[in-house]
Structure formats: structure tokens, C-alpha cells
Amino acid sequence: TLKVPGTEGLKLLVVQQLNRHLDPVGSLQVAVDVVQAGTGDLCVMVRSREAALAMPEIKFVPVDLALVGIIDDLNVQSDGAFSYTLKPGRNAFS
């Protein structure tokens, strides 16, 4: 196969978006995996320009969907229960 420079060694995964109840939404898509995700991992995806910028070597590779994070813990709150207070910790705003 022939790969575009900057995509060598990166794996392509078939992914599907989920709603807040973790039910599949939409059709299957192909994403470049830059975080070494595995089967069944819940991941963060980015599209368009952000997906191209996520490539480790060369920026602006012709990529339209990329996995950029693996979710370790998910807490879904009910509608209207969002809190704007930041938890204490190591971030730029605390």
C-alpha cells in the first residue's frame, strides 16, 4: 500500500459516535488512531483541521477524523444539572 507522508505507522479504526446514553448514533466511520486505543475503548474524536493537527509527525496531513483521547471515567449528569464551578486541582484556572 502507499501512504501519505505523516501517516506511516498509524492505525485506522472503524468507529461510531455515541449519544449521552452510550447508544450508537449515525453510521460507522474510519478514524486515525494517535492514542493507541483498543477494541471497546471510549474515545474523544476530532474532525477536520483539528484531526489533521493531531498527527504526531507532519501537520496538515489529509485526515478528517482522529482519535485524540481515551476516556477513563465518564459521569453523565441530567439536563440542567451542569455545574460551572471548577474542582480544585492542577489547572490554569485554580
Side-chain angles (χ1 to χ4, degrees):
T1 62
L2 180 65
K3 287 197 169 189
V4 174
T7 62
E8 300 92 351
L10 295 175
K11 68 179 170 180
L12 303 175
L13 294 178
V14 176
V15 298
Q16 187 168 24
Q17 290 184 343
L18 303 175
N19 64 13
R20 65 180 303 152
H21 304 291
L22 302 181
D23 297 324
V25 176
S27 60
L28 298 176
Q29 301 174 355
V30 175
V32 176
D33 178 21
V34 297
V35 293
Q36 302 303 316
T39 303
D41 282 343
L42 192 59
C43 297
V44 177
M45 298 188 303
V46 292
R47 298 185 180 284
S48 305
R49 181 173 183 265
E50 288 76 16
L53 291 173
M55 298 301 103
E57 298 294 325
I58 301 173
K59 301 302 178 195
F60 298 110
V61 175
V63 169
D64 196 42
L65 186 64
L67 302 178
V68 296
I70 299 174
I71 298 173
D72 292 328
D73 186 32
L74 178 66
N75 181 14
V76 179
Q77 297 180 347
S78 61
D79 291 337
F82 184 75
S83 172
Y84 289 100
T85 58
L86 293 173
K87 295 179 182 177
R90 294 185 55 182
N91 61 46
F93 306 106
S94 62

